[in-house]
Every structure is written in structure tokens, then in C-alpha cells.
Amino acid sequence: MRQPTTYLYDGSIREVESILANLNSERPFVVIDETAFVSSGAEAALQPSFAKRSTTWFSKFELNPKLPDVERAVQLFCESQSDVIIAVGGGTAIDIAKLIAALSQQTQPAKMLIRGEAPLADFDVPLVAVPTTAGTGSEATHFAVVYIQNEKFSLAHPNLLPGFVVVDSELTRSLPRSITAATGLDAFCQAIESLWAVGSTEESIAYASEALPLILEHLPTAVHAPNAEARRAMSHASHLAGKAINISRTTAPHAISYAITSRHGYPHGMAVAMTLSRMLQYNGSVQAEDCSDPRGVSFVRRQIDRIVDLLASRTLDEASQKIDSFIAKLGCPTSLQAAGITSRPQIEAIVQEVNAERMSNNPRSSTSDTLLNLLTSGVTAA
Ligand code: NAD
């Protein structure tokens, strides 16, 4: 996979002009989350670059990319004959930009490509990602999430990895507390899941092992008493966690989360965190007969020990409690029940919609019944 040109330091937003100049861009296509663009300060920094070029803007879209918005964006991009796509915003804006780059260069209908019913033809549109949240790490991955109705899909292609990445933590200073918490929890879950993922490698383990302590130390400050150091550490950690999952992919908590977001409206990171401690307990009890990692049960146990260690705990129970108290202190729910998803039918519906591909990357296999039991323990049949 090609290596992106990455600018990761405070004030790196200024690099966007040199990226555009080096690409000889005259017609940028800019995907912005309007709130993020204005409040982060990106607008003030980038307006001169966009004003002197023939810029096309795409800014009206729902959060968590939806196919109709993506199709409108693709059409606008094709009409505009733009020469580069720039995303400024959170994971939603960045994923929409990635989807435009891929889907504008295809002959088959978008829906078929997203559903995996037709192969994605090669594409190569210059892509610049400027995250304004610290959590998804989307700027560092070759995936793009998109929803068709309530169903979540993840397009994957090496060229979805943006060629130019500008991570400037100053852009995250305007994040409200709840979004800082939810997005930061996405990075927290990514780091932990990446460590136990079947798809992990030495490289992804190194990225995740660097990200997790940064998040443990700095996310509470970024949420409750934000300062430049905490914001900087979280932007860095989020980028590292993104690099980790770019290799390893995510696992059960992500697989379960998508229906929690689409059915119950919880922000992505918050939804993922709801099942993290239970999945640590579950994966920590892996046996040879239900181990899905070809490297074997002792490898998985070593990875779980590594997680327990990184959480400064001595036992699985202690680590699991640490996760829950970390999440609770950020003001977020630690379980489906704590989020008010309390009835068995609601949880059954979530289990039915679990993403099978992400689930198969979990180190311990499970059936729908196992998962239902795990997620409903303590729930009545109402
Ligand atoms: P988001 O992009 O959906 O934005 C959430 C909210 O934050 C919005 O209201 C936005 O206006 C606000 N916001 C963003 N930056 C701001 C700023 N600096 N100041 C004030 N407000 C700001 O949130 P997200 O969590 O970054 O992205 C979630 C999406 O990313 C989901 O669709 C998820 O599935 C996807 N995702 C993709 C990948 C990937 O690898 N492609 C990885 C993880 C998550």
C-alpha cells in the first residue's frame, strides 16, 4: 500500500496550500462539515487557497454517510471536473470524500459496488484528508463507511487511503465535550480491538500499543479540562489507532455497534464502547476450540495479557472494570442497558444485524445465541 504524505503537527493546516500548489490544482472539490469547518478555524486558514481557485463545495449531508448524499456528491464532482478532493471534518466528511474518489471512476452502479455485487475498478483521484475530530483515524485507513438505508457497508480499496493527510490538533479545540468523548472512545476501542484482532501484525500491534496509553492518559483531560497537550495527544493517538486498524481491521464491538447507531442514534464511538468490556471478558476466556486466530489460543491469550497490562491491571476482571470506569467517567454508557437498550427484542434486533465480516476478525468465535446471551445477561424478556 502506498504511504501517504502526512503532516502531523499543530498548525499543519497551512500545508494544504502547498499540497494544492504541488498538485497544480486549479479546481479543488471540497467536502466540508460546515459546523466543523467554521468552528475549528479551518475556514479562516483555508479560504485564501480556495478563493483563488475554482472551488466546488459539498456540505449538505447527514452524519454517518448515506448513499443518497454520496450519489449527489459524485454527480456534483463529475460535473465540476475537479482535479483534487479535500475533506475537512470528522469521519463522515472524510469517508464521503473517499467514496466520491472511488465511485466517480466506475461504470457500475454505486449500490452494486458498495454491496460487493460488482468489483470496484481501479481509481486514482488525489485525496487530501483534514480531520477535525480525534477518533476515527479515517485519514489513515483504506476503508469508507456508508449506510444503505439502515445497513452499514465498508468499502475497501488501497486507493481509499488518502495520499495527503493533515492532522492539526488545533482544529479539534472547538469540539464540544460530548463529541470529544464519543470520538475519543472510537480510538480507544480501535486500539484495544486491534490488539486482539485476527488480522493484527507486529506493525499494527506496535501502533495500537503506542495509541492506547496516550488515550488513557489524555482523553479524560481532553473531555473535562481540554488543553493543547491533551488535544495534541488525542489527535496523534487517533491517527495511530487508525494506522493500526488499517492493517488489522476492527472486531466484535465495531461489528455490533452499527445497528446501535442506525437503530438507536448513538454516535459511532459511543456505540462501539458499549460492548467493549464484555467482549474483553469474552475474548479473555478463549479456548482452543473457539479460537479463530490461526496463530493459536496462546497467541490470543498473550495479546489479552498485553491489553490487561496496558490498562495497568493484574486480572481480566480488573481490566474490564477499568474500561467501564474509564468510559463512565467520560459520561458515556458502558453497556446497552446503561444506554437504555433494555428489552430482549431490541437486543435481538441488534444481534441479527451484526456485521459478519468484522465479527469473523474477532479472536473468539461466537454464534448469535452466544452473543445474545452475552449482551442480554441481566435483561428480562419484555
Ligand atoms: P462525524 O464526522 O460524524 O461528526 C460528528 C459531529 O462532530 C458533527 O456534528 C460535526 O459537525 C461535529 N464536529 C466535527 N469536528 C468538529 C469541530 N472541530 N468542532 C465542532 N464540531 C465538530 O464524527 P466522527 O466520529 O469523526 O465520524 C464518524 C463516522 O466515521 C462514522 O460514520 C464512522 O462509521 C466513520 N468511521 C470511519 C472509519 C474509516 O476508517 N473510514 C473509521 C472509524 C469511523
Side-chain angles (χ1 to χ4, degrees):
M1 207 173 289
R2 67 182 175 193
Q3 286 304 309
T5 305
T6 303
Y7 303 93
L8 199 165
Y9 55 86
D10 288 2
S12 59
I13 187 78
R14 285 186 287 276
E15 299 290 350
V16 171
E17 173 54 36
S18 59
I19 294 170
L20 292 177
N22 288 338
L23 288 170
N24 294 317
S25 171
E26 288 171 2
R27 306 180 69 81
F29 188 91
V30 186
V31 181
I32 50 159
D33 175 314
E34 260 170 0
T35 310
F37 191 60
V38 176
S39 56
S40 68
E43 182 186 36
L46 297 179
Q47 247 339 323
S49 295
F50 295 142
K52 68 182 180 194
R53 295 178 167 89
S54 179
T55 302
T56 305
W57 301 87
F58 183 75
S59 62
K60 301 272 181 273
F61 49 81
E62 273 185 60
L63 294 182
N64 301 311
K66 308 289 186 296
L67 182 61
D69 286 337
V70 173
E71 286 178 326
R72 276 192 305 111
V74 167
Q75 192 181 349
L76 187 62
F77 174 75
C78 293
E79 287 165 4
S80 70
Q81 301 190 331
S82 300
D83 49 24
V84 58
I85 305 175
I86 304 166
V88 185
T92 299
I94 295 174
D95 281 5
I96 289 176
K98 291 174 167 185
L99 291 159
I100 299 168
L103 297 174
S104 61
Q105 312 296 304
Q106 309 292 321
T107 50
Q108 303 283 353
K111 203 180 226 175
M112 284 179 71
L113 295 159
I114 293 166
R115 287 185 176 281
E117 293 159 1
L120 204 58
D122 215 0
F123 60 94
D124 201 5
V125 180
L127 202 50
V128 184
V130 186
T132 60
T133 59
T136 71
S138 173
E139 77 281 0
T141 76
H142 67 289
F143 316 119
V145 172
V146 57
Y147 286 80
I148 301 181
Q149 269 116 31
N150 268 352
E151 200 176 348
K152 175 260 175 193
F153 295 88
S154 180
L155 210 62
H157 188 284
N159 292 356
L160 284 174
L161 183 68
F164 301 90
V165 172
V166 175
V167 181
D168 181 348
S169 76
E170 290 180 358
L171 302 181
T172 67
R173 291 185 185 171
S174 55
L175 280 172
R177 178 178 291 190
S178 65
I179 302 178
T180 304
T183 50
L185 280 176
D186 192 9
F188 179 62
C189 297
Q190 286 177 1
I192 290 181
E193 288 180 57
S194 188
L195 286 165
W196 69 40
V198 173
S200 69
T201 64
E202 269 183 37
E203 190 183 351
S204 69
I205 290 168
Y207 292 139
S209 304
E210 196 181 340
L212 187 50
L214 284 172
I215 298 164
L216 287 165
E217 182 180 349
H218 294 283
L219 182 54
T221 308
V223 169
H224 294 298
N227 59 34
E229 186 193 2
R231 293 291 193 195
R232 196 177 301 126
M234 280 309 300
S235 286
H236 188 198
S238 158
H239 187 65
L240 286 166
K243 284 171 83 128
I245 62 148
N246 184 45
I247 298 169
S248 69
R249 300 191 180 221
T250 54
T251 66
H254 268 78
I256 301 165
S257 75
Y258 302 112
I260 304 174
T261 293
S262 59
R263 285 182 167 270
H264 300 279
Y266 280 99
H268 173 69
M270 215 185 260
V272 182
M274 285 177 202
T275 59
L276 188 68
S277 66
R278 283 192 191 198
M279 287 316 303
L280 174 66
Q281 292 273 7
Y282 181 74
N283 289 338
S285 312
V286 64
Q287 300 296 327
E289 54 275 17
D290 55 20
C291 177
S292 356
D293 194 318
R295 291 166 293 193
V297 70
S298 46
F299 176 83
V300 175
R301 288 199 185 125
R302 274 202 304 279
Q303 287 307 100
I304 300 287
D305 287 347
R306 189 192 289 263
I307 294 167
V308 170
D309 233 36
L310 285 166
L311 289 164
S313 302
R314 282 154 303 170
T315 63
L316 198 59
D317 280 346
E318 190 185 340
S320 171
Q321 280 160 21
K322 278 232 170 123
I323 288 178
D324 280 349
S325 79
F326 184 74
I327 297 170
K329 280 186 191 146
L330 300 175
C332 296
T334 56
S335 66
L336 297 178
Q337 291 72 22
I341 305 170
T342 50
S343 83
R344 198 176 168 90
Q346 285 176 315
I347 301 176
E348 274 169 354
I350 289 169
V351 169
Q352 262 169 25
E353 287 173 19
V354 158
N355 183 279
E357 188 261 323
R358 289 290 192 263
M359 205 65 201
S360 67
N361 196 32
N362 198 61
R364 184 177 174 195
S365 63
S366 59
T367 61
S368 299
D369 283 347
T370 337
L371 212 52
L372 193 60
N373 284 338
L374 193 69
L375 299 179
T376 50
S377 51
V379 168
T380 50

